[in-house]
Amino acid sequence: MNYQETLDYLFNSLPMFQRVGASAFRKDLRSTIALCDHLGNREKKFKSIHVAGTNGKGSSSHSLAAIFQSAGYKTGLYTSPHLKSFTERIRINGQEISPELVVRFVEENKSFLDELKPSFFEMTVGMAFWHFAEQEVDIAIIEVGMGGNFDSTNIITPELSLITNIGFDHVQFLGDTLPLIAGEKAGIIKKEVPVVISETHEETKAVFLEKAKTMNATITFADQNWKANKVAEEEGKTKYKVVNSEESEWSVKTQTTAQGEETIDLIFGLNGNYQKYNLPGILESVAQMRQMGWNLPTGAVLEGLKNVTELTGLKGRWQMLSSNPTVICDTGHNEAGFREILSQLETYSFEKLWLVLGMVQDKDISKVLSMLPKSANYVFCEAKLPRALPADQLADKAVSAGLKGEVIPGINKALAFARKNAAEDDLIFVGGSTFVVAEIEEL
């Protein structure tokens, strides 16, 4: 098969959660284990960091990868879903896996894949582990797809586990309370492997403490040690003053406060205000890895954070697409994500707010819709995948929340309509789903 035929095989022959939803979800690891056994258990041939969480796991994974790259390590990065190209999911030092290697992986293992019939995600996990081992990476940052306990990535034994936060998302699979969701994500905590929790929540803290105790794993709540305060935006990047209340080895660009705390000035290449919740977990993970002997100089940390998008190719995180009118897109798609999106939009000066929105149909979107400003202009659209909520149905649900707007199913046509009708001092936000952002032509 050529590359396009191989992609068709991957996308069409096997269930793919991002396209079809629930029918592709498996609550066991048997197929993943069987596939990785067949591949020679490549996941045991490289070091790794495992990253889970409701929001922020993608940003945190890319940031850690950028830091290790800047420190000179050959760094693998596995993330999902992809925005533009399948090969985005598997990178080494920012370089996507080549189409030729995707073809080779499927070609060499096709008879086994035909017999096992793993899910799309299980196959991509196996491909990533195969690639990282073959290329002899020093370390790989592995992002959980969904949950943790039964996620295909959860067959690794990492150097460190990072759980960014807990919120309501995928409740039909992970549970309808925060402790239940936390229990699923705590499934990545391994025996005697340190775990970092980026955000402390009283509802879920006990879940993590109990799981860590059971696994004899040291646990650190990063926001107890680190506070990240946004200072300004400079040239498309964000300046933070970070306060570290613990003794640390940060050696440059630090000042000591009267309370004996260290402050670090850093530039972060990701502009979403919600990154203030991710930074403590990222920096604490660096501190923990340093303690294990990894050489991560402060200069490399600062360089990696500043140039995260350039080093890793990350897109769609509070990304400005154009000005006059200002157009911003973001992949945030659940209640917690939209709370931060709306809060950040309020910091901008504009005459009128336009929201170009599309969502998926297997999530309860009523809470998100109830949060949205009734004074904004809305354009309802839909991504080109079976899970997408049809734009007219989204508009009907929006009316129930007191929101009115245009129905233009095509995402780029919807954005073009907003641009045509917006004034120069208006602001257009595009989002509601990762898959909406993925279809923006100019991304």
Side-chain angles (χ1 to χ4, degrees):
M1 296 187 293
N2 62 28
Y3 180 58
Q4 188 56 53
E5 290 168 339
T6 302
L7 287 184
D8 291 343
Y9 174 82
L10 290 170
F11 291 144
N12 299 328
S13 300
L14 307 166
M16 178 180 177
F17 178 81
Q18 78 177 59
R19 288 189 57 79
V20 303
S23 62
F25 180 67
R26 293 179 175 175
K27 212 161 185 177
D28 69 67
L29 295 174
R30 286 176 295 181
S31 290
T32 305
I33 291 168
L35 175 57
C36 288
D37 283 347
H38 167 76
L39 295 171
N41 295 115
R42 304 294 184 97
E43 73 279 0
K44 296 180 180 178
K45 301 185 186 301
F46 55 86
K47 306 287 188 182
S48 61
I49 295 176
H50 205 188
V51 185
T54 302
N55 293 306
K57 63 181 185 290
S59 297
S60 297
S61 296
H62 283 80
S63 298
L64 286 170
I67 289 168
F68 276 89
Q69 282 175 236
S70 296
Y73 289 106
K74 190 174 185 178
T75 307
L77 176 63
Y78 175 75
T79 57
S80 63
H82 62 269
L83 289 180
K84 293 295 185 183
S85 167
F86 169 81
T87 53
E88 292 170 25
R89 294 169 177 258
I90 304 169
R91 301 175 191 259
I92 295 177
N93 284 356
Q95 296 298 309
E96 299 174 17
I97 187 172
S98 69
E100 291 77 16
L101 285 175
V102 174
V103 171
R104 187 182 132 207
F105 174 83
V106 173
E107 198 172 67
E108 290 179 357
N109 299 287
K110 189 171 182 296
S111 59
F112 182 83
L113 297 172
D114 287 343
E115 180 183 346
L116 181 67
K117 292 182 169 56
S119 72
F120 171 87
F121 189 77
E122 288 164 341
M123 197 183 321
T124 61
V125 167
M127 187 187 301
F129 294 168
W130 168 82
H131 184 51
F132 295 156
E134 190 169 76
Q135 296 299 314
E136 298 182 338
V137 299
D138 297 313
I139 191 163
I141 315 301
I142 308 294
E143 180 194 4
V144 166
M146 181 173 64
N149 202 27
F150 295 107
D151 189 78
S152 296
T153 63
N154 203 29
I155 65 168
I156 63 174
T157 300
E159 301 282 282
L160 179 79
S161 302
L162 170 63
I163 301 174
T164 57
N165 66 9
I166 302 300
F168 289 105
D169 205 2
H170 302 297
V171 294
Q172 71 270 49
F173 306 113
L174 307 180
D176 57 3
T177 69
L178 292 179
L180 283 174
I181 296 170
E184 287 296 317
K185 295 186 188 296
I188 74 164
I189 300 176
K190 301 294 195 305
K191 187 175 182 181
E192 297 180 351
V193 174
V195 58
V196 172
I197 313 295
S198 296
E199 289 185 61
T200 308
H201 295 289
E202 288 309 312
E203 273 190 88
T204 58
K205 186 177 181 180
V207 175
F208 294 130
L209 288 171
E210 180 59 33
K211 179 70 174 184
K213 182 179 178 182
T214 302
M215 291 293 174
N216 194 29
T218 59
I219 183 168
T220 307
F221 291 87
D223 56 355
Q224 306 302 304
N225 294 344
W226 304 84
K227 300 287 186 250
N229 302 302
K230 182 177 177 179
V231 176
E233 289 186 24
E234 299 177 355
E235 299 177 357
K237 300 178 187 290
T238 305
K239 184 176 182 179
Y240 282 89
K241 187 172 286 293
V242 178
V243 180
N244 178 19
S245 57
E246 292 286 298
E247 289 185 14
S248 74
E249 300 171 11
W250 300 99
S251 57
V252 299
K253 293 196 176 182
T254 64
Q255 298 173 329
T256 304
T257 67
Q259 292 76 31
E261 299 172 325
E262 280 192 325
T263 65
I264 305 159
D265 290 334
L266 61 85
I267 306 294
F268 200 8
L270 301 177
N271 280 328
N273 283 359
Y274 49 80
Q275 299 297 346
K276 66 187 176 188
Y277 303 116
N278 296 328
L279 272 171
I282 294 165
L283 293 171
E284 181 60 36
S285 296
V286 170
Q288 298 262 344
M289 295 296 282
R290 281 176 161 180
Q291 290 175 15
M292 294 179 213
W294 292 82
N295 182 26
L296 300 169
T298 301
V301 177
L302 298 176
E303 180 187 342
L305 291 173
K306 181 177 181 179
N307 300 311
V308 56
T309 57
E310 295 88 343
L311 289 167
T312 67
L314 180 61
K315 295 179 179 179
R317 269 61 169 191
W318 204 262
Q319 185 171 339
M320 184 175 290
L321 301 176
S322 60
S323 55
N324 302 320
T326 298
V327 180
I328 294 169
C329 69
D330 190 85
T331 55
H333 55 270
N334 51 35
E335 184 183 355
F338 259 94
R339 188 177 299 113
E340 294 301 324
I341 286 168
L342 294 172
S343 174
Q344 187 159 1
L345 286 172
E346 289 176 1
T347 67
Y348 285 74
S349 297
F350 52 82
E351 187 65 30
K352 190 75 178 177
L353 176 63
W354 294 73
L355 294 175
V356 179
L357 296 179
M359 297 182 179
V360 292
Q361 57 187 320
D362 52 11
K363 293 185 181 183
D364 180 5
I365 62 173
S366 57
K367 287 185 179 178
V368 169
L369 292 175
S370 69
M371 296 163 57
L372 299 178
K374 294 177 174 55
S375 60
N377 290 339
Y378 289 87
V379 187
F380 302 108
C381 56
E382 64 190 75
K384 295 174 185 173
L385 73 163
R387 281 179 69 203
L389 179 64
D392 55 352
Q393 293 182 29
L394 175 57
D396 290 343
K397 291 176 182 288
V399 168
S400 300
L403 312 175
K404 295 181 181 179
E406 298 287 330
V407 176
I408 303 177
I411 288 160
N412 291 290
K413 288 183 178 179
L415 176 54
F417 174 87
R419 276 186 163 133
K420 181 179 178 181
N421 290 277
E424 282 194 359
D425 51 0
D426 287 355
L427 189 152
I428 302 170
F429 175 84
V430 190
S433 164
T434 300
F435 310 113
V436 168
V437 174
E439 289 187 23
I440 299 173
E441 289 175 350
E442 65 205 83
L443 189 72

